[in-house]
């Protein structure tokens, strides 16, 4: 960050009667949550109402990384940090914990789960470390009195479903329940696609419960697609983000080209629109 920008930020915080750094951020949140002189929107928020923003900010961080925009990444990390501070402040108001407690907890967890770094233990490679990490998590759950000893225990239900699918598959694979290679996974993908096609036909024929069965088969198809990505060591979220970006880029370019030549896409047949799509693809 440029020195002038830092000075300007420090001046702005001083003018508001606030310190700089993390203490300043904590003071900002305390002021925003003040029931008398705070911000009405911030004051009325709860853990549940803020949770969607927390998830959204995490995706904004991932987007900045995908775009290799470090300036934007700095800002998005700040937004994500604000979410942590927001939740910690609400917990502090309830007497549950505060931001310092959050920091202490994660420090303790990182030291505890990395004995090969902080306690003289040894680990062969990243794969072995992952296994040790999961074993440590199981021990911690047992110490808390959690009696769920399934290989799938502890996988958060609040994760995006594609991410939870991959975690379920990894846990099952850890005990040997996995396809030996990509060929049977791709065969299963084709099988699920055929079942989806059959349920579309059933819906069209007006069969009872066909739409419910279609939903189930589409879910199976997506679950296997996530497994394809896992076998290829491809992050499903990153792959889908790039696919979304590619579609948006091509569609916007198609719109612009059609607007110049035909006055826009509206009114063009699908075949005519597809001609523009192919032109954009070839241009890339």
């Amino acid at each position: 960050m440029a020195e002038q920008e830092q000075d300007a930020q420090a001046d702005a915080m001083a003018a508001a009667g606030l310190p700089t750094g993390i203490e300043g951020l904590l003071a900002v949140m305390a002021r925003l949550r003040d029931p008398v002189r705070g911000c009405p929107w911030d004051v009325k928020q709860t853990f549940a109402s803020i949770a969607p923003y927390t998830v959204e900010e995490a995706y904004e961080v991932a987007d900045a990384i995908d775009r290799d925009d470090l300036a934007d990444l700095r800002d998005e990390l700040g937004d994500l940090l604000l979410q942590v501070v927001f939740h910690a402040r609400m917990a502090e108001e309830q007497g549950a914990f505060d931001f310092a407690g959050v920091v202490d907890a994660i420090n303790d967890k990182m030291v505890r789960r990395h004995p090969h770094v902080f306690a003289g233990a040894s680990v062969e490679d990243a794969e072995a470390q992952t296994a040790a990490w999961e074993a440590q998590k199981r021990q911690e759950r047992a110490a808390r009195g959690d009696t769920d000893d399934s290989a799938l225990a502890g996988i958060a239900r609040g994760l995006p479903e594609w991410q939870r699918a991959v975690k379920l598959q990894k846990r099952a694979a850890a005990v040997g329940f996995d396809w030996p290679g990509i060929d049977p996974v791709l065969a299963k993908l084709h099988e699920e696609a055929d079942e989806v096609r059959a349920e579309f036909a059933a819906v069209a024929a007006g069969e009872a419960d066909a739409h419910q069965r279609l939903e189930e088969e589409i879910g199976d198809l997506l679950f296997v697609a996530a497994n394809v990505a896992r076998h290829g060591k491809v992050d499903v979220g990153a792959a889908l983000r790039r696919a979304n970006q590619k579609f948006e880029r091509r569609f916007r370019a198609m719109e612009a080209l059609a607007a110049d030549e035909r006055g826009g896409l509206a009114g063009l047949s699908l075949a005519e629109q597809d001609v523009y799509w192919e032109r954009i693809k070839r241009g890339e």
Side-chain angles (χ1 to χ4, degrees):
M1 184 187 303
E3 185 175 344
Q4 289 182 333
E5 185 178 356
Q6 288 180 316
D7 290 342
Q9 291 178 352
D11 290 343
M13 295 294 283
L18 298 166
T20 57
I22 191 64
E23 292 302 322
L25 180 57
L26 296 173
V28 165
M29 182 51 62
R31 180 81 62 86
L32 291 173
R33 289 281 297 177
D34 188 290
V36 176
R37 56 176 182 161
C39 170
W41 186 90
D42 290 278
V43 170
K44 75 175 186 179
Q45 299 309 311
T46 65
F47 294 115
S49 68
I50 287 297
Y53 296 99
T54 308
V55 174
E56 180 180 340
E57 294 301 345
Y59 277 106
E60 295 289 348
V61 168
D63 177 61
I65 293 171
D66 279 347
R67 293 183 283 105
D68 196 25
D69 188 337
L70 293 184
D72 197 30
L73 177 59
R74 181 199 66 182
D75 291 345
E76 296 300 345
L77 286 171
D79 291 344
L80 185 58
L81 177 59
L82 178 66
Q83 295 297 308
V84 177
V85 169
F86 208 141
H87 286 286
R89 178 64 195 181
M90 291 187 289
E92 183 178 359
E93 293 166 0
Q94 296 179 20
F97 58 84
D98 59 9
F99 182 76
V102 173
V103 174
D104 289 343
I106 190 60
N107 283 342
D108 177 69
K109 181 186 292 185
M110 289 299 100
V111 171
R112 186 173 67 249
R113 292 188 180 176
H114 292 84
H116 57 293
V117 176
F118 300 106
S122 61
V123 65
E124 293 180 4
D125 51 29
E127 185 175 348
Q129 164 54 20
T130 299
W133 177 280
E134 293 297 336
Q136 177 66 31
K137 288 173 65 175
R138 287 194 296 272
Q139 293 174 13
E140 291 169 8
R141 288 196 298 270
R144 294 195 302 267
D146 188 341
T147 58
D148 186 355
D149 60 357
S150 169
L152 306 180
I155 299 178
R157 296 187 179 277
L159 292 170
E161 294 302 335
W162 61 263
Q163 190 173 357
R164 193 163 192 271
V166 172
K167 282 186 174 289
L168 289 167
Q169 293 162 6
K170 284 182 176 179
R171 290 284 190 86
V175 295
F177 188 70
D178 195 14
W179 279 296
I182 189 58
D183 287 342
V185 189
L186 292 174
K188 186 64 174 177
L189 188 68
H190 286 292
E191 176 187 327
E192 296 296 348
D194 287 340
E195 292 178 1
V196 168
R197 185 178 294 108
E199 293 306 334
F200 265 108
V203 169
E207 292 185 17
D209 300 326
H211 193 271
Q212 182 177 343
R213 297 199 308 270
L214 175 63
E215 179 184 280
E216 182 176 345
E217 294 301 341
I218 289 176
D220 291 344
L221 180 68
L222 294 173
F223 189 83
V224 176
N227 221 337
V228 170
R230 181 179 66 86
H231 273 263
K233 301 188 185 327
V234 170
D235 181 88
V236 180
L240 188 54
R241 280 196 302 274
R242 291 191 177 95
N244 287 340
Q245 291 165 0
K246 180 169 61 177
F247 177 84
E248 182 176 6
R249 182 181 68 248
R250 289 177 176 177
F251 188 83
R252 287 179 178 275
M254 182 175 74
E255 284 181 313
L257 187 59
D260 288 342
E261 297 182 354
R262 302 285 295 275
L265 288 175
L268 298 183
S269 68
L270 178 59
E272 290 172 320
Q273 291 184 3
D274 196 50
V275 169
Y276 281 105
W277 179 265
E278 292 300 326
R279 285 175 62 184
I280 296 302
K281 283 179 61 178
R282 288 196 299 271
E284 289 185 352

